Amino acid sequence: MPKSTIFDNRDFLFLWSGNAASNIGLSGVRIAYPLLALILTGSPMSASVVSFAIILPSLIFEIPAGIASDYWDRRRVLVKCQQLGLAATLMAALVVITRPPGLSVFLAGAAFVEGAAYVFFSNSELGLVRDIVAVNERSSAIAFLEAEQSIAQLAGRALGVMTLGIARSLPFLANTASYLYCLWTLSRMGARMPDKPEVDGPAPATIWDWNHVGSGVRTIWAEPLVKGATIILGITNAIFQVFILLMTVQVRNSGHPVWVIGIVLGATGLGGLLGAVLAAGLANHFSPRIMFTCTLWAWVVLCIPMAMSSNPLVLAMCWMGIGFAAPPANVALTLYRLRVFPENYVGRIHGAIKLIANGGAAFGSLLAGTLLSVLGISETGWILVTLMVLMARIGRRLPEPRPAAPGLPTNWITRLSLKGPGHPEVW
């Protein structure tokens, strides 16, 4: 009998294809929101406020969204998030068409709602993947999730710019179609999934329960490899945000048109997609510590030409290489977290890690302009390379991964396969 693969998992393929489509639509409107605020109001401040509004939920809701993933019906959370995002993007389309007073406020509100819906969706998606994917298929499933982010960056940004050039409301109408498709795929998933995640103890009265909010961070801090990797990735995210502005200034100062900047910055999506193809195989053969260390040193090598050159081809190739190196480490670390942490903590842990990563990116965005203004391009570039070398050296000293805690398998499919003659009841 041939061995089953991730392509035989109908529920996962529905989940992945729907979320990939939704991410493409959302990536398109992430570009459209601030551009339309600038075009329609003529105010850079309005564009900045709207751009911040879609990022802000990732700094507020990550851990509460993780609690929701741990205790609520995950598929129902996904459906509600898609419905909420659909309502917000339709409101944005209406605002763009009618142009009411306070247009930028309406756009900021819609952007905030879409950003919040995405935060809750992405946290529950990982938990649902754990529910519907058997242990031997998890590396492939996580690699698919990595690929969907790269696909969204490539296709979504292109879709956003292209549709905005045709009609100002079209990015939101395209996003509407992506939400509707995702809702359809969620409705097609099988009915054998558990209604709610299995948890120890009573659910919190609210997702803002501070004891549960802090439990994800405390759990991460108790595992040295995960703690160290999370802190390092938060710092590297800040470094890369400064590099984004540095490359933008370099290309612009070289006299190249704006679309060249778009190609350079979009190269990381292509690299991430190629890296995701190899991620599952590498994660299955090497420990997460080895994969993470190799990724950090690859980033060091690639950051050196980025600090030295203003050639768009060099910058694009290096930026693509950085995207290529990320998925194997991300998949290996995600698999390790799924293996060593209890199922009822997965959402909170994922939310806490994303909060630290997004916080690093936000800090880097705030710091980038100051560094470039005060120190200049060359000095800033070499400071970033030095910081990346430091992160790689620290990453090399992270402890070895610990073995999974003994006990019953947490994946419900594995538990179901153990039921029957000759096996004890494990539910």
Side-chain angles (χ1 to χ4, degrees):
M1 183 176 179
K3 185 179 179 181
S4 64
T5 68
I6 195 66
F7 295 102
D8 299 316
N9 190 325
R10 175 179 176 273
D11 286 336
F12 175 77
L13 293 179
F14 273 127
L15 175 64
W16 182 82
S17 64
N19 193 38
S22 181
N23 276 347
I24 290 172
L26 183 60
S27 293
V29 297
R30 279 181 182 271
I31 289 179
Y33 271 117
L35 285 178
L36 282 170
L38 180 63
I39 292 170
L40 298 178
T41 67
S43 168
M45 179 61 70
S46 295
S48 178
V49 169
V50 171
S51 181
F52 181 68
I54 203 167
I55 299 172
L56 183 59
S58 65
L59 303 178
I60 299 175
F61 296 120
E62 287 290 1
I63 295 181
I67 295 174
S69 171
D70 286 338
Y71 287 96
W72 295 356
D73 181 335
R74 290 162 182 154
R75 182 165 57 168
R76 183 171 296 177
V77 170
L78 301 189
V79 170
K80 294 297 182 183
C81 288
Q82 293 297 293
Q83 292 172 340
L84 192 62
L86 175 62
T89 207
L90 285 173
M91 186 186 81
L94 183 63
V95 166
V96 170
I97 293 171
T98 60
R99 302 186 190 181
L103 179 145
S104 59
V105 176
F106 285 109
L107 286 180
F112 181 85
V113 172
E114 285 211 67
Y118 172 75
V119 168
F120 278 85
F121 188 101
S122 60
N123 274 279
S124 290
E125 181 193 25
L126 180 61
L128 190 55
V129 166
R130 181 167 177 164
D131 287 338
I132 64 177
V133 175
V135 174
N136 64 307
E137 297 172 358
R138 281 185 185 168
S139 58
S140 298
I142 301 302
F144 267 77
L145 296 187
E146 283 290 319
E148 83 180 19
Q149 299 300 323
S150 301
I151 292 170
Q153 289 180 14
L154 281 172
R157 291 172 180 173
L159 179 69
V161 172
M162 181 181 68
T163 53
L164 187 60
I166 298 173
R168 290 173 178 174
S169 62
L170 195 54
F172 302 102
L173 299 179
N175 195 28
T176 297
S178 75
Y179 278 126
L180 291 173
Y181 175 73
C182 187
L183 286 168
W184 177 79
T185 59
L186 291 172
S187 71
R188 296 288 296 172
M189 292 175 66
R192 295 176 62 236
M193 291 178 294
D195 292 332
K196 292 184 180 180
E198 295 185 17
V199 295
D200 297 326
T206 169
I207 57 175
W208 296 99
D209 182 292
W210 287 106
N211 183 52
H212 286 79
V213 166
S215 61
V217 177
R218 290 193 298 270
T219 304
I220 291 172
W221 249 239
E223 213 303 309
L225 175 60
V226 175
K227 177 181 72 172
T230 300
I231 294 173
I232 290 171
L233 286 174
I235 296 172
T236 57
N237 274 0
I239 292 171
F240 289 141
Q241 286 300 312
V242 181
F243 260 123
I244 287 173
L245 183 59
L246 184 146
M247 290 189 295
T248 301
V249 173
Q250 284 176 315
V251 174
R252 185 173 180 180
N253 288 350
S254 299
H256 296 284
V258 175
W259 61 265
V260 175
I261 298 174
I263 291 176
V264 170
L265 298 182
T268 186
L270 178 58
L273 183 59
L274 296 174
V277 174
L278 303 177
L282 291 172
N284 284 332
H285 287 87
F286 299 99
S287 77
R289 178 178 173 272
I290 292 174
M291 293 306 306
F292 186 57
T293 303
C294 290
T295 293
L296 290 173
W297 282 110
W299 286 347
V300 169
V301 172
L302 292 165
C303 284
I304 293 173
M306 290 166 56
M308 297 175 60
S309 177
S310 61
N311 185 306
L313 180 60
V314 173
L315 296 176
M317 294 300 293
C318 291
W319 198 232
M320 183 173 69
I322 284 173
F324 178 82
N330 288 340
V331 171
L333 288 169
T334 301
L335 287 171
Y336 178 65
R337 294 196 301 267
L338 291 175
R339 180 167 61 86
V340 300
F341 292 132
E343 180 179 6
N344 58 308
Y345 276 81
V346 168
R348 278 165 285 178
I349 291 168
H350 184 61
I353 289 171
K354 288 181 65 180
L355 175 63
I356 294 170
N358 291 329
F363 178 74
S365 297
L366 293 173
L367 188 64
T370 302
L371 283 175
L372 289 170
S373 299
V374 174
L375 300 177
I377 293 176
S378 178
E379 291 80 1
T380 298
W382 286 112
I383 288 174
L384 297 178
V385 170
T386 302
L387 287 173
M388 192 63 76
V389 170
L390 179 61
M391 293 301 101
R393 289 178 64 86
I394 295 173
R396 188 183 174 201
R397 290 172 171 78
L398 290 177
E400 291 292 338
R402 64 181 174 88
L408 294 173
T410 56
N411 180 273
W412 76 277
I413 295 177
T414 307
R415 291 196 301 268
L416 181 63
S417 68
L418 294 177
K419 293 179 71 178
H423 292 289
E425 175 64 58
V426 295
W427 284 82

